[in-house]
Amino acid sequence: MNIILLGPPGAGKGTQARILMETRGLVQLSTGDMLRAAVAAGTEVGRQAEAVMKAGGLVSDAIVVGVVGERLDQPDVAQGVIFDGFPRTTPQAEALDRLLAAKGMALDAVIDMQVDDAAMVHRVAGRYTCANCGEGYHDTDKKPSVDGVCDKCGATEFKRRKDDNAETVAARLREYHAETAPLIAYYSAAGKLKAVDGMAEIGAVTAAIAAALDAVS
Ligand code: ADP
Ligand code: ADP
Ligand code: ZN
C-alpha cells in the first residue's frame, strides 16, 4: 500500500509515519529528512536547498521531484511507501502521478491531517527528536517517560531543527496555505482523500488513520 500524509508543518506526519512503519512495514519517504541529509552531506542538492529551507520556503519542484524519483528506484519501496511532506505543490503531485505510473505503483490513500494554525505553531516550537533513533518528542505534549532519556532507545542526546523557530514557521504556514492546501481538492477529485482530525491525541490519530487505511485495503 502506498499512501501520502498531507498536512501543515507540525500536523503529526512524521509521528504517524514512524508508527505506520512499525505497524504495517511501510517505508517512510520524508523529503524533509532527505533534504536535511543532503544539506548535512554537502551535496549539490543540499547546497541548492539550504538557504530556502532556512527561510521556510519551498525547495524547487525540479530538485524535490528528482530526489523522490531516485528514491523510488530503491528496491525497498516495494514494501509500500508513506510519502511524508511530499507532494507539497500541484506540479509535485502531477509529477508523482507520472512517477508512480512509470513504476507500476498505485496510490491507495491520501490522509489529510487537519490541524489549526495555532496548534501548528505550538507543535513546531516545542518539537525535538532523539539524536540517536529520531523518535519525536514535544516539550509539553509528548515528553519522554523518564526526563532526558529516549523512550525508544535510551539515548540521552536530543536535537532541535534549525528551522523550527517562530519566523520560519510563519513562512512555512504561508507556503502551506498557498501551495500545499490546493492538493486537498486535487486528491479529493481523484477519490483518494481521507480526512483525519489531527488535533486529537496521538493514539486517536493513529486509530483514525488505521480505520481509513483498512477501508481501502
Ligand atoms: P510533522 O512531521 O507533520 O511536521 P511531527 O510529527 O514532527 O509533525 O509533530 C510535530 C510535533 O507535535 C512533535 O513535537 C510531536 O511530538 C507533536 N505531536 C505530533 N502529533 C501530535 C498530536 N496528535 N497531539 C499533540 N502533539 C503531537
Ligand atoms: P515540516 O512538515 O515539519 O514543515 P519537513 O521536514 O517536511 O517539515 O520540511 C522541511 C523543509 O524542507 C520545508 O520547509 C521545505 O523548505 C523543505 N521541503 C521538504 N519537503 C519539500 C517538498 N516536497 N517541496 C519543497 N520543499 C520541501
Ligand atoms: Zn531514541
Side-chain angles (χ1 to χ4, degrees):
M1 143 172 289
N2 301 302
I3 65 172
I4 294 172
L5 296 183
L6 187 65
K13 303 181 297 294
T15 301
Q16 297 298 333
R18 286 177 73 88
I19 294 169
L20 288 165
M21 280 168 65
E22 283 175 18
T23 56
R24 297 192 185 235
L26 303 175
V27 175
Q28 177 188 16
L29 196 160
S30 158
T31 44
D33 286 349
M34 290 158 69
L35 292 168
R36 279 186 289 280
V39 170
T43 64
E44 178 62 22
V45 164
R47 223 179 38 72
Q48 292 179 20
E50 188 168 13
V52 181
M53 291 174 76
K54 203 169 167 213
L58 290 179
V59 176
S60 79
D61 292 334
I63 290 179
V64 175
V65 169
V67 165
V68 171
E70 278 180 22
R71 182 66 184 84
L72 290 178
D73 287 334
Q74 305 290 315
D76 63 340
V77 302
Q79 292 166 234
V81 178
I82 309 157
F83 293 98
D84 163 6
F86 176 88
R88 261 177 157 94
T89 66
T90 301
Q92 288 182 19
E94 290 166 351
L96 179 60
D97 286 344
R98 290 191 294 271
L99 280 171
L100 291 176
K103 293 178 197 299
M105 293 166 71
L107 180 62
D108 297 284
V110 178
I111 306 291
D112 177 28
M113 302 182 63
Q114 301 179 327
V115 177
D116 64 45
D117 284 13
M120 291 174 221
V121 175
H122 167 81
R123 295 243 187 117
V124 169
R127 164 164 62 188
Y128 64 99
T129 54
C130 171
N132 178 51
C133 75
E135 182 69 5
Y137 293 99
H138 189 277
D139 288 332
T140 55
D141 298 0
K142 190 192 172 210
K143 297 194 215 174
S145 47
V146 177
D147 222 19
V149 181
C150 177
D151 291 339
K152 286 276 149 129
C153 76
T156 53
E157 292 218 14
F158 297 87
K159 58 182 184 184
R160 285 182 196 263
R161 278 167 48 179
K162 283 199 199 92
D163 61 340
D164 280 351
N165 58 68
E167 309 85 84
T168 308
V169 171
R172 282 153 66 197
L173 275 184
R174 279 197 300 277
E175 293 284 16
Y176 172 78
H177 288 295
E179 303 291 343
T180 309
L183 297 183
I184 295 170
Y186 182 91
Y187 287 116
S188 179
K192 305 281 186 198
L193 198 75
K194 307 275 176 192
V196 162
D197 177 14
M199 298 292 289
E201 60 176 56
I202 293 174
V205 178
T206 303
I209 293 174
L213 296 184
D214 289 342
V216 294
S217 62

